[in-house]
Amino acid sequence: MAAGGSGGGGARKSTTKIATATTKRKTQKPQNKNLNQQNLLALISTATSATHSFLSHHDLLLLPSQSLTLESLLSSSSLSLSSLLSLLQPSKPLSLPSLPSSSLPPPPPQQQQQCWFHRFLSATSSTDYDPRWSHFFHISKPSFSLLLSLLSPLLSTSLPSISPSYALAATLYRMAHAAPYKAVARRFGFSSGSAEACRAFYTVCKAVNEKLGDLFVFKADIDRIIVGFGWISLPNCCGVLGFGRFGVEGEVLGKNESVLVQALVDSEGRFLDVSAGWPSTMKADTILQQSKLYLGVEESRELLNGPRYELSDGNSVPQYILGESCYPLLPWLLTPYIRANEEDSFGSLEREFNSVHSRAMGLVGTAFGRLRARWQLLGKQWKEECIEFMPFVIVTGCLLHNFLINCSEPMPDENVRCLRERKLPVPEGELDESAQGIRDVLASHLSRVSLRR
């Protein structure tokens, strides 16, 4: 009994110890959970603050794509931390480092007087050919200075509270990197934030259209244009006409639809005539007939009215431009040969003409590719509420593109992702007999040139 009694007492003591340990563990679980939450939040906050400090101290060394990506990540992490804090709702306030706001904290007062662009100008003042100008603005310092001298009178009047150099640089930065207005405002010290950055952007775009509009030099520079196409065996050719597509979010234009831009391009990739803002549901011949180019040829007769070119076989061709197959064949607009039936085959003359025609049409695709590569804002999907400004900004980009060609700026790599080009329908109906005759004469000439090579 004694042995039995002694054993029962030991069991009660063990049970008490186990119960006590279990109670302690249950008590520790919420404490450990809160501790882990604090550690996690503190770690994320510290990493976010460190990244922000790194960005602030190295923004002149980072590429724009790198700094904009970091800012986007910082903004996202700040929002995530705020959401996490609201979900966890800890019983006691956490002692954490201060978190950046979702828009990134404003710079200290001393940095407001010395924004990123101010520091950039100081860092690049020793030479006119610092490569950082091209990295940040896709333009060299000499070309920027020339452009600034052209636009300054207008900008000084339209934006009296902003330095013309800051307004122009901010616009080029947004065009070059598709930077949001908030990021632009921070870099260029705009005190009113996004609203002031937006106002500066569209004011500069307007100034570019007013002062550089004569860079669409189709009529004034026709002799140079003809000589350029002569070097690629297209006598009396005055340009290549085609379309570029620019994306829009939502379905304001219809599902998977876009904005069309009709452009006439020379052999060096300049835009000679631009008509922007057409919905992609419209037919090409309808767009053509509403353009200034068509009116200048068909109605006022002030375009493509120069002398005919005498070919080696005694025939001659008038001034003309080449156009995509979606256009109607006209005496001044030569489109490729089209097979009436899939079973039909082209003769040697038709094949040679279509081959040369296709290579020439590539100039339009290359020009639009370079436009998007230099001005990445034009390669983005535009929001529905901004669509009315889209044609205006595209024309601005084309004029700046021409300006930089005239300044002998290097061409950007045009291998950028573009919208998949959907061919517009080929017009139906009888072909213009005069136009067919001109195309046949040119096809015969191109075939002879090919045989002599």
Side-chain angles (χ1 to χ4, degrees), residues 380-431:
K380 298 291 184 181
Q381 294 261 330
W382 281 58
K383 295 180 180 179
E384 289 185 20
E385 60 267 25
C386 301
I387 190 173
E388 63 179 300
F389 302 107
M390 189 178 183
F392 180 57
V393 178
I394 292 172
V395 172
T396 299
C398 293
L399 288 170
L400 290 172
H401 171 90
N402 285 3
F403 174 81
L404 294 178
I405 291 178
N406 291 348
C407 291
S408 300
E409 292 276 327
M411 292 289 187
D413 181 4
E414 69 271 18
N415 293 324
V416 295
R417 186 179 66 85
C418 302
L419 292 180
R420 177 180 291 181
E421 296 294 339
R422 290 177 293 159
K423 289 192 174 182
L424 297 174
V426 176
E428 299 177 354
E430 295 294 324
L431 298 179

Side-chain angles (χ1 to χ4, degrees), residues 167-316:
L168 176 57
T171 298
L172 294 175
Y173 188 89
R174 172 165 164 77
M175 289 283 289
H177 307 290
Y181 287 122
K182 189 176 295 183
V184 172
R186 286 179 53 80
R187 279 167 176 75
F188 294 88
F190 294 151
S191 57
S192 300
S194 298
E196 192 171 17
C198 179
R199 184 166 64 92
F201 177 77
Y202 284 108
T203 301
V204 172
C205 287
K206 181 181 178 182
V208 168
N209 278 262
E210 290 184 17
K211 296 297 291 186
L212 303 186
D214 58 356
L215 292 183
F216 292 150
V217 291
F218 183 41
K219 181 181 179 181
D221 214 9
I222 195 71
D223 291 338
R224 179 196 62 79
I225 296 167
I226 290 174
V227 169
F229 281 103
W231 284 105
I232 54 176
S233 302
L234 284 168
N236 231 20
C237 181
C238 300
V240 185
L241 188 68
F243 287 103
R245 289 179 181 269
F246 295 82
V248 178
E249 291 181 357
E251 299 184 6
V252 64
L253 299 178
K255 190 174 182 179
N256 298 322
E257 296 301 335
S258 53
V259 168
L260 288 178
V261 177
Q262 176 182 275
L264 182 68
V265 175
D266 71 7
S267 60
E268 298 177 61
R270 287 182 182 84
F271 291 99
L272 305 174
D273 182 90
V274 176
S275 182
W278 305 100
S280 56
T281 51
M282 287 186 69
K283 292 183 178 180
D285 56 344
T286 304
I287 295 173
L288 174 67
Q289 290 168 15
Q290 296 185 48
S291 66
K292 290 183 179 180
L293 174 65
Y294 184 88
L295 298 177
V297 177
E298 291 286 352
E299 294 191 7
S300 67
R301 305 286 181 178
E302 63 181 16
L303 299 177
L304 301 180
N305 58 4
R308 299 175 69 92
Y309 183 89
E310 296 292 331
L311 302 174
S312 58
D313 62 355
N315 288 311
S316 63

Side-chain angles (χ1 to χ4, degrees), residues 116-136:
W116 174 86
F117 186 56
H118 181 91
R119 290 183 287 111
F120 173 83
L121 291 176
S122 298
T124 59
S125 61
S126 59
T127 175
D128 282 344
Y129 294 97
D130 192 305
R132 283 177 289 183
W133 275 92
S134 295
H135 291 157
F136 287 114

